[in-house]
């Protein structure tokens, strides 16, 4: 029996939920554990698991209704999630008498409770209530849209603005569970019970979900949270640590979290006392530093002084604070001055006034006509390589480092209330003495701390990303990416960790340090933007690179307090078995009923290189918590690239995963590529592994559902659903093609039946995806194709441009989809149109529905066999592709219609008139002589003559002669369709042409011989 996800998936609503989760930023459940790249939205994981466990019935619409109810994504569920404050009086009423007496007064909560205290109190009260009591309390929320009808009338994505995420509420109401159980034949009262019952029904036990590329831990964590047994594995220890922490820290329950919080407090307090005793963050004015700003300086040939480098000297926009530089007599070092400036002058600084790095050139701050190439400063032989014991540049190094600003803070009393006052200042002599003290303190401890693993001791292994700091700064060891101040304070923090006796507490300290390393290194840009208030650092990995900087921010240890003490997040203890292993996916020996993986297919992210940034800090501490783990990313085993070795590794991995699941088990492979060649390649890999595809869906994870998708690629996650291939029957191409055609049409018809007019479930990318999936469903059920062994096909070496039979079938599926998806209103005209005419009209159709990605127009072109689309586009920008309107085309791409209906290769004849035609030297474009192209020119003629249809009508009669009468009815149909384009949102360029098309349609309709 097929499962729900093999028949349908609520694409639009899931995309909106995934987008909301992504936009939650730091409040996402797992991000507090630490940085990882490409974490999948938890709501997508939850929906995928449920979709693979829930059986499909004969009533598809009822199935969808129940599926949405389970996830609280139905109308009742979103209303239930519509957030708003529950009044304190309602909380008081729901609390026990003991809690009321301790925390509540006559009018509400007692004074002095922090936000964290309130949150913990409300959680305590909520957890003590029955489901019925929780529902009654929730009904008292002061919702931002109190009227249910008004709320339900909003588009789904707009409703979510006012809603909690599904993971943050208790789940469906008791009444909703009654509906769910009636349809599914279950007796569940919560999601974990439902998951267990569906698993027992299918597999005979609680379902076990695994991920062999667990990365940031989304899949094992969410699987365990909703009641599955969970297994996660990865080669990378950083990924393993994050996954383990998600299951054992977040899922450890209140006792674990309380112990971790206690240890965090102890360690921070001890480190803070030591740093305070050293006096390296305090001055004699009673202030404590919050941030230190550093810059690189160079002394180029011909310069008498060192030039401090920065692309901007803005420090804090909110207070209009900037840094300036002045000469000092008898010194080759400039003196910084930190000051507030007028609004007019600050605007100049925002516009790069005084910038000393512009377009990769060093600019003299006193003579902007003098500049030097940054690359040339590094020299032909490159920079000197730093050694392990170096933490600052040598005096003769090209790039020196200096402190140029400190942000101080002090709490003072104003009107009887404490107030934090900040001051920005250039460092004075005492500040520079403290800098020297920091260096001396670090050097005293350096060797011991490296040996103990309190600061990094690993060298940077060369690689695509890791070569950058070596080349650009000469840094050879990971600790070179941190200032002496950062190394001293971080080392002090970790050296206090002996109080952490449990594995959970040790891991918590490591992860907290990893978070600080990401947000407080030499690679952290100082962001003085107004939204940052007094200014703050951006994270090291603001993108997937190790970008060295000319100036950067350094937070003080005191400023790290909130982050170091912030709870990781809380969930109730996971009641299911879960495991995390560091193992090559080819060697996994753990059985799972469902495997969900996001393989590094054609991936641009070098996880093993970027992860080493964190592993350098975890290193020796990691083995204390996990003696069996090797603190090495084992790059030599990492599966990456797209060559033959990669394919062989992938086949071995997925063949092993297929072995490690029952015959009725399922897999989901997630990836983000749209190219048919990629689909063909991955399809053949999974085919060779003994799997067959049963469905594919794409969830948009980066943009709002229904919103414009920015980016020339599938901005979401493709979810390919797979099962074991039970038999290895032979397939034959001449039989496969009609089967693929039938499957494509069946798949598209079933999707169209589920589409809702006001809230479509599927967009054009989804229908194209469905075509690829339909082809895979047909192809992967066979053991070979025309006698060709599948493994031979996977590893065959092909000439450039040569396509496998597999790829040819997939591309044919796209063509079938393109022919099947007829724009509404053109059903009668479609069969008489050529492929290039269909392409032009379908392109207009998707443009009128907001599609701007160039990749989508290129995909359509593949489906219709159009090789050159540029002449048909007004803009071919990656994120702003637009089809040329009738007026924009004007007389371009236009040649005479020949006797056989084809375009002539020479200049236009008298039937075009007035020299309007242009022909490319290589011959006419296939669109140029098409009837549609000439009809568009007639529209242009009508528009150009103040909407008088006579010139357009006459042009068509002259062009087609007697053939005009046979085409007239078809022309009217096309003109009426074009006339509606101007009404679509974002189609302003068609307004005039649409009016002209309307006028011309009326004239042609009443034309008589």
């Amino acid at each position: 029996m097929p499962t729900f996800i093999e028949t349908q998936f609520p694409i639009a609503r899931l995309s909106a939920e995934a987008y909301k989760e992504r936009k939650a930023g730091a409040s996402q459940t797992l991000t507090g554990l630490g940085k990882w790249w490409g974490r999948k939205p938890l709501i997508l994981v939850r929906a995928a698991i449920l979709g693979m466990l829930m059986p499909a019935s004969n009533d598809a619409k009822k199935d969808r209704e129940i599926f949405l109810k389970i996830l609280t994504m139905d109308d009742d569920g979103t209303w239930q999630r519509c957030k708003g404050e529950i009044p304190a009086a309602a909380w008081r009423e729901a609390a026990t008498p003991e809690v009321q007496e301790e925390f509540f007064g006559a009018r509400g909560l007692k004074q002095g409770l922090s936000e964290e205290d309130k949150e913990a109190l409300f959680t305590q009260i909520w957890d003590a209530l029955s489901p019925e009591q929780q529902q009654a309390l929730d009904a008292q929320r002061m919702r931002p849209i109190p009227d249910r009808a008004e709320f339900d009338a909003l588009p789904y994505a707009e409703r979510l603005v006012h809603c909690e995420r599904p993971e943050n509420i208790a789940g469906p109401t008791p009444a909703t569970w009654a509906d769910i159980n009636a349809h599914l034949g279950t007796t569940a009262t919560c999601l974990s019970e439902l998951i267990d019952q569906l698993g027992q029904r299918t597999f005979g036990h609680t379902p076990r979900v695994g991920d062999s590329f667990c990365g940031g831990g989304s899949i094992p964590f969410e699987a365990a949270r909703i009641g599955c047994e969970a297994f996660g594995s990865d080669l990378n220890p950083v990924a393993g640590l994050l996954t383990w922490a998600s299951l054992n820290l977040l899922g450890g329950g209140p006792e674990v979290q309380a112990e971790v919080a206690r240890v965090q407090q102890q360690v921070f307090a001890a480190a803070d006392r030591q740093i305070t005793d050293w006096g390296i963050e305090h001055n004699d004015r009673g202030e404590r530093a919050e941030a230190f700003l550093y810059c690189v300086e160079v002394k180029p040939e011909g310069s008498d002084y060192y030039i401090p480098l920065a692309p901007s000297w803005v420090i804090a926009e909110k207070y209009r604070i900037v840094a300036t530089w002045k000469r000092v007599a008898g010194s080759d070092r400039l003196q910084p001055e930190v000051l507030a400036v007028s609004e007019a002058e600050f605007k100049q600084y925002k516009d790069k006034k005084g910038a000393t790095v512009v377009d990769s050139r060093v600019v003299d701050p006193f003579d902007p006509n003098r500049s030097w190439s940054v690359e040339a400063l590094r020299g032909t032989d490159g920079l000197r390589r730093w050694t392990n014991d170096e933490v600052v540049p040598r005096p003769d190094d090209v790039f020196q480092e200096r402190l140029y600003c400190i942000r101080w803070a002090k709490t003072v009393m104003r009107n009887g209330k404490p107030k934090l006052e900040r001051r920005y200042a250039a460092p004075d002599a005492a500040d520079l003495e403290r800098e020297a003290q920091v260096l001396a303190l670090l050097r005293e401890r350096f060797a011991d701390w490296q040996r103990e693993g309190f600061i990094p001791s690993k060298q940077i292994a060369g690689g695509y990303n890791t070569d950058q700091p070596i080349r650009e700064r000469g840094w050879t060891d990971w600790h070179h990416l941190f200032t002496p101040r950062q190394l001293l304070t971080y080392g002090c923090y970790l050296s206090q960790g002996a109080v952490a006796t449990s594995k959970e507490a040790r891991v918590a300290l490591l992860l907290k340090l990893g978070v600080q390393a990401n947000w407080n290194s030499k690679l952290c840009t100082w962001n003085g933007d107004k939204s940052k208030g007094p200014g703050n650092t951006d994270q090291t990995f603001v993108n997937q690179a190790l970008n060295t900087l000319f100036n950067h921010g350094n937070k003080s240890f005191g400023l790290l307090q909130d982050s170091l003490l912030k709870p990781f997040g809380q969930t109730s203890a996971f009641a299911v078995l879960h495991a995390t292993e560091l193992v090559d996916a080819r060697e996994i020996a753990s059985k799972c009923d469902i495997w969900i993986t996001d393989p590094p297919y054609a991936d641009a992210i070098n996880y093993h290189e970027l992860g080493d940034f964190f592993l350098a800090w975890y290193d020796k501490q990691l083995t204390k918590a996990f003696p069996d783990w090797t603190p090495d990313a084992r790059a030599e085993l990492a599966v990456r690239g797209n060559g033959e070795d990669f394919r062989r590794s992938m086949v071995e991995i997925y063949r092993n995963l297929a072995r490690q699941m029952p015959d009725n088990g399922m897999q989901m492979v997630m990836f983000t590529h749209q190219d048919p060649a990629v689909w063909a390649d991955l399809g053949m890999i999974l085919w060779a592994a003994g799997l067959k595809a049963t469905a594919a869906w794409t969830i948009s994870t980066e943009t709002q559902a229904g919103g414009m998708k920015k980016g020339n690629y599938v901005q979401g996650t493709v979810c390919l659903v797979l099962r074991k291939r039970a038999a290895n029957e032979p397939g034959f191409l001449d039989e496969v093609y009609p089967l693929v055609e039938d499957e494509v049409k069946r798949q598209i018809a079933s999707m169209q039946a589920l589409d809702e007019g006001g809230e479509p479930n599927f967009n054009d990318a989804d229908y194209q995806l469905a075509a690829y999936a339909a082809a895979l469903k047909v192809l992967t059920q066979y053991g070979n194709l025309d006698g060709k062994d599948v493994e031979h096909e996977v590893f065959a070496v092909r000439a450039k441009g040569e396509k496998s039979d597999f790829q040819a079938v997939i591309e044919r599926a796209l063509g079938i989809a393109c022919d099947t998806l007829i724009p509404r209103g053109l059903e009668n005209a479609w069969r008489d149109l050529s492929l290039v005419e269909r392409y032009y009209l379908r392109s207009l159709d998707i443009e009128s529905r907001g599609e701007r990605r160039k990749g989508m127009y290129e995909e359509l072109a593949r489906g219709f066999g159009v090789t050159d689309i540029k002449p048909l586009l007004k803009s071919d920008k990656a994120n702003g592709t637009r089809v040329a309107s009738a007026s924009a085309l004007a007389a371009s791409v236009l040649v005479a219609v020949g006797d056989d209906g084809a375009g002539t290769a020479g200049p236009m004849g008298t039937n075009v008139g007035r020299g309007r035609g242009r022909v490319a030297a290589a011959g006419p474009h296939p669109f140029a002589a098409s009837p549609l192209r000439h009809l568009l020119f007639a529209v242009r003629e009508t528009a150009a003559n103040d909407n008088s249809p006579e010139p357009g009508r006459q042009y068509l009669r002259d062009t087609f002669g007697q053939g005009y009468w046979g085409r007239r009815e078809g022309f009217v149909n096309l003109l009426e369709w074009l006339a509606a384009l101007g009404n679509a949102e974002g189609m302003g360029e068609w307004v005039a042409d649409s009016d002209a098309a309307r006028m011309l349609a009326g004239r042609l309709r009443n034309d008589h011989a």
Side-chain angles (χ1 to χ4, degrees):
M1 175 186 291
T3 61
F4 177 84
I5 202 170
E6 292 175 296
T7 58
Q8 57 172 305
F9 214 35
I11 300 296
R13 294 198 174 194
L14 266 175
S15 294
E17 296 283 1
Y19 175 78
K20 180 179 176 67
E21 185 179 326
R22 280 274 193 250
K23 294 297 287 183
S27 69
Q28 292 180 71
T29 303
L30 298 182
T31 53
L33 293 174
K35 178 71 178 181
W36 196 256
W37 301 265
R39 276 191 177 105
K40 292 294 173 271
L42 298 176
I43 185 60
L44 172 56
V45 178
R46 179 177 293 199
I49 294 171
L50 176 63
M52 287 191 279
L53 288 172
M54 179 176 147
S57 73
N58 294 326
D59 188 342
K61 290 198 172 181
K62 185 65 176 180
D63 286 347
R64 181 175 185 274
E65 175 189 323
I66 294 299
F67 186 84
L68 293 175
K69 282 179 180 290
I70 296 169
L71 296 175
T72 64
M73 287 166 52
D74 62 318
D75 291 345
D76 287 340
T78 50
W79 177 246
Q80 179 188 347
R81 291 193 281 134
C82 184
K83 61 188 177 185
E85 295 295 329
I86 296 176
W91 284 111
R92 185 183 189 282
E93 187 68 26
T96 63
E98 294 79 12
V99 171
Q100 288 179 2
E101 183 175 349
E102 183 176 356
F103 294 101
F104 291 90
R107 298 184 177 179
L109 289 165
K110 291 182 179 179
Q111 291 187 345
L113 292 176
S114 68
E115 290 302 317
E116 290 78 10
D117 293 337
K118 293 176 186 177
E119 188 65 32
L121 172 61
F122 294 157
T123 300
Q124 176 187 342
I125 296 171
W126 182 270
D127 289 346
L129 301 176
S130 68
E132 293 78 9
Q133 291 171 322
Q134 289 176 346
Q135 186 179 358
L137 178 59
D138 188 71
Q140 298 183 63
R141 287 184 183 276
M142 306 295 289
R143 288 182 168 89
I145 301 178
D147 183 68
R148 171 70 186 269
E150 181 183 350
F151 179 78
D152 285 349
L154 292 173
Y156 190 78
E158 291 183 26
R159 280 188 248 170
L160 292 191
V161 173
H162 309 287
C163 291
E164 296 282 0
R165 303 200 301 273
E167 61 181 302
N168 292 335
I169 68 163
T173 64
T176 302
W177 276 116
D179 290 342
I180 294 167
N181 290 325
H183 183 69
L184 296 178
T186 51
T187 58
T189 60
C190 62
L191 183 56
S192 59
E193 289 181 4
L194 178 68
I195 292 294
D196 183 63
Q197 290 175 28
L198 293 176
Q200 294 285 352
R201 183 183 297 174
T202 305
F203 304 114
H205 54 255
T206 300
R208 192 168 199 237
V209 175
D211 179 6
S212 59
F213 303 100
C214 62
S218 296
I219 293 166
F221 170 79
E222 190 62 19
R225 182 161 65 164
I226 65 174
C228 301
E229 294 183 6
F231 172 81
S233 70
D234 206 294
L235 272 175
N236 196 304
V238 179
L241 190 67
L242 291 169
T243 299
W244 187 93
S246 74
L247 294 167
N248 295 276
L249 286 185
L250 301 191
E255 289 185 10
V256 167
Q257 289 152 4
E259 186 215 354
V260 166
R262 177 183 58 77
V263 171
Q264 286 176 290
Q265 290 278 0
Q266 284 183 277
V267 171
F268 177 83
D272 192 49
R273 281 194 300 271
Q274 178 62 81
I275 289 166
T276 300
D277 289 345
W278 283 334
I280 59 174
E281 292 187 354
H282 295 76
N283 63 16
D284 56 9
R285 298 174 58 160
E287 298 170 319
R288 183 168 188 172
E290 288 188 328
F292 302 84
L293 275 59
Y294 295 88
C295 70
V296 170
E297 60 178 4
V298 297
K299 190 175 184 181
E301 186 177 353
S303 176
D304 298 330
Y305 41 80
Y306 281 84
I307 299 175
L309 303 184
S312 169
W313 292 110
V314 169
I315 294 173
E317 182 177 350
K318 182 176 181 179
Y319 306 108
R320 301 198 299 273
I321 305 294
V322 301
T324 64
W325 298 89
K326 60 184 180 182
R327 299 284 301 273
V328 178
S331 174
D332 61 357
R333 249 67 179 196
L334 304 184
Q335 179 67 35
E337 185 177 6
V338 175
L339 69 163
V341 296
S342 68
E343 192 169 336
E345 189 173 5
F346 187 78
K347 186 176 185 305
Q348 294 176 340
Y349 275 94
K350 284 201 72 177
D351 292 337
K352 310 303 181 187
K353 176 183 177 180
T356 50
V357 180
V358 179
D359 296 331
S360 299
R361 295 188 69 82
V362 174
V363 178
D364 190 320
F366 307 112
D367 183 1
N369 294 318
R370 287 211 307 169
S371 67
W372 300 262
S373 163
V374 172
E375 192 59 41
L377 291 174
R378 296 190 176 103
T380 54
D381 297 328
L383 297 171
R384 179 191 71 82
R385 300 295 192 255
W386 287 30
T387 59
N388 173 66
D389 61 344
E390 290 177 314
V391 291
V392 293
R394 292 180 188 172
D396 58 347
D397 279 341
V398 172
F399 293 111
Q400 297 294 304
E401 299 169 358
R402 68 176 295 172
L403 175 68
Y404 70 92
C405 177
I406 304 174
R407 189 178 83 208
W408 297 100
K410 179 171 66 172
T411 300
V412 297
M413 297 301 293
R414 289 281 186 269
N415 300 320
K417 295 181 179 180
K419 178 178 175 58
L420 187 69
E421 287 189 347
R422 291 189 171 95
R423 180 175 67 90
Y424 300 82
D428 59 21
D431 297 323
L432 297 180
E433 287 179 11
R434 280 186 282 272
E435 286 292 290
Q437 183 188 1
V438 166
L439 189 57
L441 288 167
L442 176 63
R443 283 176 168 157
E444 289 173 11
R445 293 157 177 77
F446 186 81
D448 290 342
W449 279 4
Q450 278 200 328
R451 185 174 58 255
E452 293 295 325
F454 299 147
I455 59 175
S457 59
K458 279 181 174 287
Q459 283 193 327
I460 300 174
Y464 179 82
N465 292 114
T466 47
D467 277 348
Q468 189 175 354
I470 299 172
R471 181 182 68 254
E472 294 180 354
R473 288 291 188 275
W475 297 335
T476 57
D477 293 63
W478 285 106
H479 68 271
H480 294 155
L481 276 61
F482 299 85
T483 66
R485 186 175 287 279
Q486 288 163 339
L487 292 171
L488 182 65
T489 53
Y490 292 167
C492 180
Y493 174 78
L494 283 182
S495 69
Q496 307 296 328
V499 296
T501 56
S502 71
K503 184 180 292 188
E504 289 82 1
R506 287 173 179 166
V507 168
L509 294 181
L510 285 182
L511 291 178
K512 281 296 183 183
L513 196 282
V515 171
Q516 306 319 312
N518 182 36
W519 285 93
N520 195 29
S521 76
K522 286 184 184 180
L523 309 188
C524 291
T525 303
W526 179 256
N527 190 338
D529 188 85
K530 193 169 186 176
S531 65
K532 298 291 182 181
N536 210 338
T537 58
D538 280 331
Q539 60 175 317
T540 296
F541 291 107
V542 72
N543 57 21
Q544 297 156 8
L546 293 165
N547 296 315
T548 60
L549 304 172
F550 294 108
N551 66 324
H552 62 88
N554 183 150
K555 297 178 182 178
S556 71
F557 188 75
L559 197 63
L560 302 181
Q561 178 173 354
D562 288 348
S563 177
L564 287 172
L565 298 183
K566 181 181 179 181
F568 285 106
Q570 296 184 356
T571 65
S572 56
F574 291 163
V576 290
L577 296 173
H578 48 76
T580 308
E581 294 181 6
L582 295 187
V583 62
D584 189 328
R586 287 162 283 207
E587 299 174 0
I588 288 172
S590 296
K591 300 284 186 183
C592 288
D593 305 303
I594 293 171
W595 288 98
I596 303 177
T597 54
D598 178 13
Y601 185 80
D603 215 322
I605 303 176
N606 295 297
Y607 296 98
H608 59 291
E609 292 182 24
L610 302 181
D612 277 356
F613 174 89
F614 299 102
L615 188 56
W617 283 100
Y618 303 155
D619 194 14
K620 295 170 184 174
Q621 300 296 320
L622 189 70
T623 53
K624 293 178 183 178
F626 300 93
D628 297 335
W629 286 16
T630 303
D632 187 304
R634 292 185 282 177
E636 71 281 359
L637 295 177
V639 179
R640 59 186 187 274
N642 51 18
E644 182 178 337
D645 288 345
F646 168 79
R647 293 190 189 95
R648 289 191 185 280
S649 297
M650 288 283 283
V651 169
E652 290 173 14
I653 287 169
Y654 281 97
R655 183 176 287 154
N656 183 43
L657 296 186
R659 283 196 296 266
Q660 304 303 334
M661 72 180 195
D663 289 343
N664 64 339
M666 297 183 72
Q667 289 200 35
M668 174 180 283
V669 176
M670 299 179 174
F671 61 106
T672 56
H673 294 269
Q674 180 176 315
D675 187 341
V678 171
W679 270 88
D681 212 15
L682 183 58
M684 285 197 294
I685 286 168
L686 298 171
W687 189 21
L691 297 166
K692 66 176 182 179
T694 58
W697 312 102
T698 181
I699 305 298
S700 182
T701 54
E702 305 300 331
T703 54
Q704 297 185 57
M708 187 183 298
K709 297 183 178 181
K710 304 182 189 306
N712 184 20
Y713 52 91
V714 173
Q715 288 212 337
T717 298
V718 176
C719 302
L720 186 60
V721 185
L722 304 138
R723 288 184 181 269
K724 277 187 179 181
R725 189 171 60 250
N728 277 311
E729 298 179 1
F732 302 95
L733 276 175
D734 59 345
E735 297 175 357
V736 162
Y737 276 113
L739 291 174
V740 167
E741 182 169 357
D742 290 345
E743 182 60 29
V744 169
K745 291 178 177 178
R746 187 203 65 77
Q747 180 69 29
I748 288 174
S750 67
M751 292 166 70
Q752 288 174 325
L754 288 168
D755 252 343
E756 300 171 343
E759 184 188 291
N761 286 296
F762 312 109
N763 62 23
D764 293 279
D766 300 319
Y767 283 109
Q768 292 182 17
L769 190 62
Y772 294 152
L776 288 184
K777 285 169 70 174
V778 173
L779 287 167
T780 55
Q781 67 183 309
Y782 298 111
N784 60 64
L785 200 59
D786 276 0
K788 295 178 182 176
D789 178 72
V790 60
E791 286 204 45
H792 175 270
E793 283 290 285
V794 172
F795 305 123
V797 178
R798 294 185 174 85
K800 186 176 180 180
E802 183 183 359
K803 298 175 183 176
S804 66
D805 290 338
F806 203 100
Q807 185 176 346
V809 173
I810 287 177
E811 291 193 355
R812 175 64 191 126
L814 176 59
I816 295 165
C818 288
D819 281 342
T820 304
L821 293 165
I822 301 171
R824 188 171 297 174
L826 291 178
E827 294 83 358
N828 294 332
W830 200 247
R831 69 181 181 199
D832 297 324
L833 298 171
S834 66
L835 290 176
V836 70
E837 289 174 309
R838 293 178 182 180
Y839 171 74
Y840 179 84
L841 293 170
R842 272 282 282 139
S843 295
L844 279 178
D845 181 44
I846 67 171
E847 182 187 354
S848 72
R849 286 181 277 109
E851 183 59 71
R852 301 291 183 268
R853 291 171 295 168
K854 185 179 179 182
M856 280 299 300
Y857 294 85
E858 292 172 336
E859 280 293 282
L860 278 181
R862 286 194 188 101
F864 287 113
V866 179
T867 57
D868 182 14
I869 64 174
K870 194 167 185 177
L872 308 183
L873 303 178
K874 182 177 182 182
S875 168
D876 64 350
K877 293 179 180 178
N879 303 325
T881 301
R882 306 301 295 259
V883 180
S885 65
S887 292
L889 283 170
S892 65
V893 199
L894 184 67
V895 298
V897 178
D899 293 338
D900 59 354
T904 61
M908 289 290 293
T910 56
N911 60 342
V912 172
R914 298 188 295 280
R916 299 185 185 105
R918 291 207 304 262
V919 181
H925 190 280
F927 190 58
S930 66
L932 175 59
R933 176 64 192 95
H934 287 279
L935 182 63
L936 290 168
F937 188 79
V939 170
R940 184 257 188 180
E941 290 290 89
T942 301
N945 286 277
D946 297 327
N947 275 358
S948 170
E950 285 306 318
R953 181 192 72 101
Q954 192 59 46
Y955 171 78
L956 293 173
R957 293 183 69 161
D958 290 346
T959 299
F960 293 98
Q962 287 301 310
Y964 163 80
W965 300 106
R967 297 183 181 275
R968 184 173 63 96
E969 188 176 335
F971 283 159
V972 170
N973 186 183
L974 292 171
L975 288 167
E976 289 174 339
W977 189 84
L978 294 171
L981 281 179
N983 298 324
E985 185 178 350
M987 296 293 284
E989 293 180 4
W990 267 93
V991 171
D993 284 343
S994 290
D995 286 343
R998 190 175 297 107
M999 297 298 294
L1000 186 57
R1003 182 67 185 89
L1004 264 59
R1005 191 181 297 107
N1006 296 312
D1007 199 11
H1008 302 288

